[in-house]
Amino acid sequence: MLKPARKTLALTTATILLTAAAVLSGGASGAKAGEADAKNLLKAMSDYMASQKTMSFSYDTNLEVVTKDHQKLLLASSGKMEVNRPDKIRVTRSGGFANVELLFDGKTLTLLGKDANLYTQVDVPGTIDHLVDELRDKLHRPLPGADLLLPDVYGELMHGVTDIKDLGSGVIGGTECDHLAFRNKEVDWQIWIAQGDHPYPCRYVITAKDVDQAPQYSIQITDWKAGDDATTDDYAFKNTTSAQQVDIEKLGNVDELPTQFRVEGKK
């Protein structure tokens, strides 16, 4: 009696996959129209994000890693971000390996490891955009979802895109969104954008195509606030816990990829 059930399940799955393939392929004119709509929706989100001087939101991230034994593991963390353009930002993040706070007041970057009660400070005068570059390229501690904080999100995300799909509507955390999918040479990425007058990104997923088992990184945004509704605070570091100042190399786990995980070929 089990064999027919398995066959039915296999046929049902195949039917779903074939139906999805037919929908996504579409005709040439339909594909072009979908691409234009997707570009317009992404551009509207980019313009909206760039126009917000102040914004705050909570977020959840998932970072997949693949072990040398080809096992895929998921590292999860949550936090809150407060932005006051052009040069102030506060980010908290807590996960299984770290409880971290990042503060930037336009002159000084402070990283606080709350569990170890250690902090480090680096002079990084400039804007949030400059900070994003410094954290990624020099300090190797990228901000969660940093692509979405840049002044031209559209230009940044569309660089090298070779395929575009408008997948219609989806619902993220109870918010109806436009679901878009894009491909470039190195990664596939998807984004869900809130419908309506406040087209903020609700979920952003990046899939690494050239890595074994195609691990993903995702960030989901909730409790979105902008303008006068945004939760913003003093961005100067106040050492209320008498944390010890150390060099950045001694700060320990402040990244989404903890020191317990080593990139293959590196120590």
Side-chain angles (χ1 to χ4, degrees):
M1 296 299 294
L2 291 176
K3 290 184 178 179
R6 289 197 186 103
K7 183 177 180 182
T8 301
L9 177 60
L11 288 173
T12 302
T13 304
T15 301
I16 292 172
L17 292 175
L18 288 171
T19 302
V23 170
L24 291 176
S25 61
S29 59
K32 289 181 180 179
E35 287 186 11
D37 289 342
K39 287 181 179 179
N40 290 337
L41 290 167
L42 186 66
K43 185 63 166 61
M45 184 208 76
S46 177
D47 292 344
Y48 171 76
M49 293 290 287
S51 69
Q52 305 309 308
K53 183 179 183 298
T54 58
M55 53 187 170
S56 65
F57 53 87
S58 299
Y59 67 88
D60 298 290
T61 65
N62 289 306
L63 172 64
E64 290 183 343
V65 296
V66 180
T67 72
K68 63 180 181 180
D69 299 321
H70 308 288
Q71 182 180 11
K72 186 182 287 188
L73 305 175
L74 185 66
L75 307 178
S77 61
S78 296
K80 185 174 181 178
M81 189 174 296
E82 302 171 5
V83 178
N84 192 329
R85 286 193 171 110
D87 59 0
K88 294 177 177 62
I89 187 169
R90 177 194 298 267
V91 184
T92 62
R93 181 178 60 80
S94 59
F97 300 94
N99 185 9
V100 183
E101 185 170 14
L102 177 152
L103 300 100
F104 178 63
D105 61 5
K107 297 179 181 179
T108 304
L109 165 69
T110 302
L111 290 170
L112 171 65
K114 294 183 178 180
D115 291 339
N117 204 30
L118 301 175
Y119 78 97
T120 191
Q121 291 187 314
V122 182
D123 292 332
V124 191
T127 64
I128 294 172
D129 312 327
H130 175 64
L131 176 68
V132 167
D133 292 338
E134 291 288 302
L135 283 168
R136 181 188 61 231
D137 300 333
K138 292 186 178 181
L139 302 177
H140 308 295
R141 289 168 171 82
L143 276 176
D147 293 345
L148 305 175
L149 300 177
L150 298 175
D152 182 15
V153 178
Y154 181 86
E156 187 73 19
L157 296 185
M158 286 298 295
H159 180 72
V161 165
T162 58
D163 184 75
I164 304 171
K165 292 182 176 67
D166 182 349
L167 299 179
S169 295
V171 177
I172 304 295
T175 299
E176 188 167 5
C177 303
D178 292 305
H179 180 194
L180 313 176
F182 301 80
R183 309 193 82 178
N184 61 38
K185 184 178 179 180
E186 297 177 347
V187 300
D188 293 342
W189 56 276
Q190 301 177 69
I191 193 163
W192 287 255
I193 301 171
Q195 296 180 358
D197 296 333
H198 307 288
Y200 65 91
C202 291
R203 180 184 288 168
Y204 178 43
V205 179
I206 305 170
T207 305
K209 298 192 294 185
D210 58 352
V211 179
D212 181 34
Q213 296 193 55
Q216 293 185 337
Y217 175 82
S218 69
I219 180 168
Q220 182 165 316
I221 290 174
T222 57
D223 194 26
W224 171 266
K225 296 177 182 178
D228 294 337
D229 295 329
T231 303
T232 57
D233 202 347
D234 185 2
Y235 296 86
F237 174 60
K238 297 179 178 63
N239 193 359
T240 58
T241 62
S242 300
Q244 178 184 354
Q245 186 171 8
V246 296
D247 293 336
I248 192 169
E249 293 79 10
K250 297 181 180 179
L251 193 57
N253 281 327
V254 295
D255 195 5
E256 289 187 272
L257 183 65
T259 55
Q260 287 88 334
F261 293 84
R262 177 173 60 86
V263 178
E264 188 67 27
K266 296 184 179 180
K267 294 183 178 181

